[in-house]
Amino acid sequence: MMGNSDNRRLFGTDGIRGTANTAPMTPEMALKLGQAAGLMFTRGSHRHRVIIGKDTRLSGYMLEPALTAGFCSAGMNVTLAGPLPTPAIAMLTRSLRLDLGVVISASHNPFEDNGIKLFGPDGAKLSDEAEAEIEALMGQDLSGRLAGPEHLGRASRLVDAAGRYIEAAKFSLPRGLRLDGLRIVLDCAHGAAYKVAPAALFELGAEVIALGVSPDGFNINRESGSTAPRQLCEAVLEHGADIGIALDGDADRVILADERGEIIDGDQILGLIARDMAEAGTLRGGSIVATVMSNLGLERFLARRGIDLIRTKVGDRYVAEVMREKGINLGGEQSGHVILSDFATTGDGLVAALQVLSVLVRSGKRASEACRMFAPLPQLLRNVRYAGASPLALPHIKTAIADASTQLGTKGRVLIRASGTEPLIRVMAEGEDAAQIHAIVDSLCGTIALATAEAAE
């Protein structure tokens, strides 16, 4: 069982997130965040610079100028990139030698929510410790530390941001490899990749049937994208496509559909890329990194090929941290975050999809054949909402979890954790017996729900 044990209150698993124009996701908070982060990342005498990107949510128009004002008041110059995928901002932060990168996005959440993610000069998401330091600064009176009138920052737009990212994504393919002859359905979830992803695939020679490319500020992730792939699957069958690609709102994750309209999740994608890299001799460390949520089937598939699976707690930035610590160049999550550190510092849905397309082109196989690495073990995940304190600390809840783990033994596992972004307890079990897994999850959810109800009385 893993959970958040640090003292951050604003920052969760993936930055700060909440309902737009409601605490904490307000312009006042964004202003303070810009000031605090700007001061923290002012190191040296050079003119410091930050880049801000966003997805297509209406509330981005509210948060972007507030952040800009905060950074300018801290003496930082601000580069505005407009709607771009999260990995594009991470890439630009590093390639332009900036001091900080910011993405305004709530990823796969509905339009009502928004969030703010921060990237350091190396293009990596900030550590828990760095976020805690920024949060502490936000609670202080910073007026005496802000820039004087002659040292205020300026704001400008980066007009070629999209083109830079498209070329970087294309560079991840083997030299000379093209996608000519591939018919691809691409669902951009009306999100940040609605221009760059179709353009990249088209430039590489693919026939692209684009969905989710008409953002209006309200429709991001609505019945589309990686968390709602039904229309992707239907469109693949309707158009006789070779493969379907679904990105989420900020395009840091990807889910695929084969030519039969059947889903290929992040674990299968990780397995495919790991095998391909291992055969090419480019998989560093003989290992990949994934979270506690990845299926046991993936772990067993990799083990048969001499590849270790190192697990972290949920969150792609924790995966990235372990990858950097151990010198590993592939990691990700079942949800579709795939990090290829030879090309990106964070999850990149487009780059991951291109690696799969590369395998299809080089092998000549259909997606249904090339992308099915293993038969996943039955896995069931349910959420239990709670109010107040997390019920996971209660003794009888701990006992119930231990009993469930004992039942499964070495043939499965139980994972209970608190969500990093919502007041939810996530209950997951997997094993070889589907009926047993359902019974265990039902029992644990019932026990946790009862404890929550009793605590509320």
Side-chain angles (χ1 to χ4, degrees), residues 349-429:
L350 177 58
V351 167
L354 287 174
Q355 309 317 302
V356 176
L357 296 175
S358 171
V359 173
L360 294 186
V361 170
R362 287 182 283 116
S363 69
K365 295 179 180 179
R366 289 182 172 272
S368 58
E369 181 183 0
C371 300
R372 301 289 171 189
M373 298 294 99
F374 60 91
L377 270 66
Q379 185 183 83
L380 183 61
L381 171 66
R382 287 186 187 158
N383 297 322
V384 181
R385 188 168 293 275
Y386 68 92
S390 168
L392 294 184
L394 297 173
H396 72 285
I397 298 294
K398 292 182 177 180
T399 299
I401 295 170
D403 290 345
S405 297
T406 300
Q407 287 182 52
L408 287 172
T410 59
K411 295 183 177 181
R413 63 193 181 105
V414 172
L415 175 68
I416 316 294
R417 66 181 183 90
S419 167
T421 57
E422 301 174 84
L424 297 174
I425 301 298
R426 304 199 190 279
V427 180
M428 191 275 281

Side-chain angles (χ1 to χ4, degrees), residues 2-47:
M2 295 189 178
N4 227 355
S5 58
D6 57 56
N7 58 0
R8 298 168 304 157
R9 294 185 179 181
L10 278 177
F11 288 91
T13 304
D14 197 17
I16 302 172
R17 193 174 295 186
T19 302
N21 216 24
T22 301
M25 199 48 55
T26 63
E28 293 84 359
M29 182 279 295
L31 175 69
K32 291 179 181 178
L33 176 62
Q35 291 174 334
L39 290 173
M40 180 173 160
F41 280 83
T42 297
R43 303 165 180 176
S45 59
H46 66 281
R47 170 59 78 173

Side-chain angles (χ1 to χ4, degrees), residues 282-288 306-308 310 326-329:
T282 58
L283 186 69
R284 293 202 301 270
S287 306
I288 76 167
I307 302 170
D308 292 330
I310 300 172
K326 297 185 178 294
I328 295 169
N329 58 347

Side-chain angles (χ1 to χ4, degrees), residues 72-395:
C72 287
S73 74
M76 267 195 172
N77 282 352
V78 178
T79 298
L80 300 173
L84 271 186
T86 287
I89 299 303
M91 179 273 292
L92 289 167
T93 302
R94 184 171 59 169
S95 68
L96 295 175
R97 295 182 65 189
L98 305 181
D99 299 282
L100 195 62
V102 182
V103 175
I104 304 170
S105 175
S107 191
H108 58 280
N109 286 27
F111 93 92
E112 295 91 345
D113 294 338
N114 216 328
I116 300 174
K117 312 176 190 185
L118 303 177
F119 294 85
D122 58 355
K125 290 182 180 178
L126 301 188
S127 66
D128 290 350
E129 293 74 21
E131 289 180 345
E133 189 175 343
I134 291 172
E135 194 166 321
L137 280 174
M138 291 173 68
Q140 299 174 17
D141 179 5
L142 301 177
S143 56
R145 299 175 57 183
L146 298 175
E150 71 279 15
H151 297 300
L152 293 173
R154 301 174 183 267
S156 60
R157 292 206 169 270
L158 182 62
V159 295
D160 62 341
R164 285 174 179 257
Y165 172 66
I166 289 170
E167 288 306 311
K170 289 160 60 178
F171 182 75
S172 71
L173 284 175
R175 182 180 296 273
L177 189 141
R178 300 273 301 171
L179 305 180
D180 300 275
L182 280 183
R183 177 176 292 180
I184 301 170
V185 174
L186 173 66
D187 184 352
C188 296
H190 301 294
Y194 78 101
K195 286 186 178 179
V196 293
L201 295 179
F202 174 80
E203 290 175 15
L204 287 165
E207 178 186 349
V208 183
I209 296 103
L211 311 175
V213 290
S214 302
D216 60 12
F218 305 98
N219 59 1
I220 186 170
N221 299 313
R222 184 190 297 164
E223 297 181 1
S224 62
S226 63
T227 54
R230 188 179 70 176
Q231 74 161 349
L232 176 78
C233 298
E234 292 174 347
V236 166
L237 294 175
E238 177 185 350
H239 294 280
D242 297 293
I243 195 168
I245 301 169
L247 307 172
D248 69 335
D250 69 333
D252 65 352
R253 66 167 74 178
V254 62
I255 293 295
L256 306 176
D258 65 23
E259 79 283 356
R260 301 178 302 193
E262 297 179 3
I263 293 297
I264 302 162
D265 70 8
D267 281 347
Q268 299 285 356
I269 296 169
L270 281 171
L272 171 64
I273 297 175
R275 187 189 67 180
D276 189 58
M277 291 176 66
E279 290 175 352
T282 58
L283 186 69
R284 293 202 301 270
S287 306
I288 76 167
V289 182
T291 75
V292 291
M293 294 301 295
S294 278
N295 195 277
L296 274 174
L298 172 62
E299 187 171 341
R300 294 176 179 180
F301 166 81
L302 294 172
R304 290 194 295 270
R305 286 154 181 80
I307 302 170
D308 292 330
L309 176 64
I310 300 172
R311 293 186 184 267
T312 72
K313 61 183 177 180
V314 173
D316 65 304
R317 67 196 183 99
Y318 301 118
V319 172
E321 285 174 4
V322 173
M323 289 172 64
R324 288 194 298 273
E325 289 170 5
K326 297 185 178 294
I328 295 169
N329 58 347
L330 175 63
E333 296 188 282
Q334 186 185 68
S335 60
H337 286 115
V338 177
I339 305 171
L340 291 124
S341 61
D342 292 339
F343 310 111
T345 56
T346 190
D348 191 322
L350 177 58
V351 167
L354 287 174
Q355 309 317 302
V356 176
L357 296 175
S358 171
V359 173
L360 294 186
V361 170
R362 287 182 283 116
S363 69
K365 295 179 180 179
R366 289 182 172 272
S368 58
E369 181 183 0
C371 300
R372 301 289 171 189
M373 298 294 99
F374 60 91
L377 270 66
Q379 185 183 83
L380 183 61
L381 171 66
R382 287 186 187 158
N383 297 322
V384 181
R385 188 168 293 275
Y386 68 92
S390 168
L392 294 184
L394 297 173

